[in-house]
Amino acid sequence: MDLLADYLAGVRASGAVFCQSVAEPPWAVRFSDPAPLALGAMLRGESWIVGAGTAPVRVQERDVVLVRGLRPFTVADRPTTEPQVVIEGPDLCWATSDGPAAAGPDLVLGPRTYGFSADGSDLFVTAEYPLHGDVSERLLEALPEVAVIPREPEFAPLLDLLAVEIDSEEPGQQVILDRLLDLLLVRALRSWFAQPEAEPPPGYRALADPRIGRALRLMHQRPGHPWTVATLGAEAGMSRAVFARRFAELVGQPPLRYLTEWRMALAADMLRAPGATVASVARKVGYADGFAFSTAFKRVRDVPPSNLVRADG
């Protein structure tokens, strides 16, 4: 496992909401109730992302875009075009001229397809990605409100297949679309974090260092192990002092602080699971008893872990 795999391990798409908008300029589609992360691709033409807490952002043909947060946003042919269509969740789409009561049945052009013209010149595909929990939050915090990944040859096969499958209604169609979304999301995140202006999650770029990368992978693979700076340094083939200094330089924080914060992110998600107890979670993230774990958790998160345990657990 690596950091990106860990951040996404619990957030595979399941029943993801896909939508493609087909239109002839001028056009604008408003997403009034977005998920924590939306992924879009401009298959034909170009568009602008307006809103989402940032200045208008241009998306060119075959670009992929990630929109973070729960703020409503608009995709339009120009930044100044007023929304003509509002999409509110998976089952409600309406024209602004008619209002939501009309429910927009005439706007449905086909499976997962909305717009005014089935053969319009511009085609934008979007999918909402449900990300939940503290581990996923670490990933979301590393993204800007809007991240545009310029077209890359590696995206072409995925985008071509997506364009075909999103129009289909065959057995298992949703599973195919969900897995395509998983692939496209991971590829887009990897490309974005490789860009100089990106600020990936702590430790992400340090994976490229053979020794520090090994230590990071061990922390993620075995978070409950009683790691010390000395044992991590030994695994990395470095002295304790040299390892601690190099780790802090590459990751931005000391190794045990990084380990503690990662353990607490994992623990927060575990505590919300049905049947979880403070004691059982404590053992999984490397604490001998619930008291020591509770003390560490409150120090890092400012709330006791018992606050996260479900009442029906």
Side-chain angles (χ1 to χ4, degrees):
M1 295 286 283
D2 60 43
L3 275 66
L4 186 55
D6 278 342
Y7 291 140
L8 294 172
V11 292
R12 291 179 65 194
S14 178
V17 178
F18 277 83
C19 157
Q20 63 175 333
S21 306
V22 186
E24 196 74 31
W27 60 271
V29 178
R30 179 76 167 169
F31 295 86
S32 65
D33 188 26
L37 183 65
L39 183 148
M42 198 71 210
L43 298 186
R44 292 199 308 266
E46 68 175 43
S47 64
W48 291 80
I49 305 291
V50 183
T54 187
V57 177
R58 186 184 183 190
V59 184
Q60 300 187 72
E61 188 166 306
R62 289 279 165 154
D63 287 352
V64 174
V65 58
L66 300 171
V67 183
R68 175 181 66 84
L70 297 171
R71 299 183 184 90
F73 64 94
T74 299
V75 183
D77 69 310
R78 293 178 181 274
T80 54
T81 302
E82 291 295 323
Q84 302 154 326
V85 177
V86 176
I87 296 176
E88 189 172 347
D91 302 315
L92 181 58
C93 168
W94 44 278
T96 55
S97 59
D98 298 328
D106 294 337
L107 298 175
V108 180
L109 303 176
R112 310 169 191 87
T113 306
Y114 304 92
F116 294 104
S117 171
D119 56 358
S121 61
D122 295 342
L123 175 58
F124 182 80
V125 177
T126 185
E128 295 187 342
Y129 211 102
L131 297 177
H132 305 287
D134 285 54
V135 171
S136 299
E137 188 63 27
R138 290 165 69 94
L139 177 64
L140 291 175
E141 288 174 352
L143 292 170
E145 284 81 2
V146 180
V148 177
I149 299 95
R151 66 180 297 169
E152 298 181 8
E154 293 82 359
F155 283 124
L158 286 174
L159 295 177
D160 291 342
L161 186 56
L162 179 60
V164 171
E165 294 293 343
I166 201 171
D167 284 327
S168 300
E169 283 287 24
E170 300 292 333
Q173 196 65 45
Q174 187 64 53
V175 176
I176 291 175
L177 290 172
D178 286 342
R179 297 294 75 79
L180 277 174
L181 177 56
D182 288 337
L183 290 171
L184 191 55
L185 176 65
V186 173
R187 188 66 185 83
L189 287 169
R190 195 167 65 188
S191 294
W192 173 255
F193 288 141
Q195 298 189 28
E197 68 270 27
E199 296 183 7
Y204 183 87
R205 286 183 174 147
L207 288 172
D209 183 278
R211 295 186 174 186
I212 302 303
R214 171 170 171 74
L216 281 165
R217 290 184 176 91
L218 286 170
M219 291 184 196
H220 280 249
Q221 290 167 2
R222 299 159 62 192
H225 187 79
W227 296 113
T228 65
V229 176
T231 58
L232 286 167
E235 291 284 357
M238 306 168 75
S239 71
R240 182 185 184 280
V242 173
F243 169 75
R245 183 170 62 251
R246 182 64 174 164
F247 189 100
E249 289 172 355
L250 294 181
V251 179
Q253 56 187 168
L256 294 190
R257 183 188 302 172
Y258 177 91
L259 177 61
T260 299
E261 291 183 0
W262 175 241
R263 284 172 168 173
M264 296 308 134
L266 291 172
D269 289 348
M270 292 178 190
L271 288 164
R272 298 186 182 99
T277 65
V278 171
S280 65
V281 171
R283 289 190 295 271
K284 291 177 182 177
V285 294
Y287 289 83
D289 58 72
F291 179 78
F293 166 67
S294 296
T295 301
F297 191 93
K298 188 173 182 179
R299 184 178 68 250
V300 174
R301 295 302 180 103
D302 294 324
V303 295
S306 55
N307 284 17
L308 277 65
V309 177
R310 289 174 45 153
D312 59 355

